[in-house]
Structure formats: C-alpha cells, structure tokens
Amino acid sequence: MTTSKKTVRTCVNGHSYMKSSDCPTCPLCEQERKPDTGFLSLLSAPARRALEHNGITTLEQLASYSEKEILKYHGMGPASMPKLRTALNEEGLSFKNE
C-alpha cells in the first residue's frame, strides 16, 4: 500500500495545514465555519457543504427534496440520511415522496 505525499498549504486566511489531495478546503476554516446548533451542525463537513452549495440551509427547504435527490449531491452519503430524517421528524416534516 502506498501513502500519499502530504504538502504544506496555506489558505487565504493564513492557516497552514497538511493535505495530500487536490481539495482546496482548509480544515481549520471548515472547523470555524461549523454551526454550533441546528441540523447542519449534525453533519460531516462534506455533507454540510453539499447542502449549503445547493441552497439548502433550513429544514423547510430540505423537506422539498426527496431522499434520492439529496443523495445525488457530491459529499452527501447514506450515513447522513438518518440524521436528516430525525431532524425533519422532530419538526413534523419529512422528505418529499418520489
């Protein structure tokens, strides 16, 4: 098994971090951006970014999509779906039926 070579990078905010992929996301900036409350705080950074990138920042907006539509977003995986279902259910909402 080969290991990827990590390089030191610096983001626009001046954070230095090690990264082996081409992904430009600074892990320190991502940690600072993570919400403390709400359903987005329950998700991993890639899943949260997938929703945000597609303009989904409220449970009402999320409820207008089906599970299949959400799972098509890059960064969204099946492990996030139970968390989203629970958050919707707690507010009396659910995913759109297909």
Side-chain angles (χ1 to χ4, degrees):
M1 181 163 108
T2 61
T3 58
S4 299
K5 184 175 179 176
K6 292 186 176 188
T7 58
V8 176
R9 307 218 184 138
T10 303
C11 75
V12 296
N13 293 320
H15 300 130
S16 292
Y17 58 97
M18 300 291 287
K19 202 89 175 222
S20 62
S21 71
D22 291 335
C23 176
T25 304
C26 169
L28 300 170
C29 289
E30 274 303 304
Q31 189 60 36
E32 290 174 0
R33 279 184 9 71
K34 183 176 180 175
D36 293 329
T37 61
F39 80 103
L40 291 174
S41 69
L42 306 172
L43 302 175
S44 66
R48 186 180 76 248
R49 284 193 306 268
L51 293 179
E52 290 171 339
H53 177 74
N54 287 283
I56 303 170
T57 57
T58 68
L59 288 171
E60 290 76 15
Q61 291 168 330
L62 181 64
S64 69
Y65 292 85
S66 70
E67 290 190 37
K68 277 188 178 180
E69 290 172 315
I70 295 298
L71 282 169
K72 288 181 183 177
Y73 295 145
H74 178 77
M76 185 60 65
S80 297
M81 299 312 290
K83 295 174 186 175
L84 294 176
R85 275 188 229 109
T86 299
L88 285 167
N89 190 19
E90 288 175 354
E91 295 298 317
L93 300 169
S94 64
F95 282 106
K96 178 178 82 172
N97 290 328
E98 299 182 52

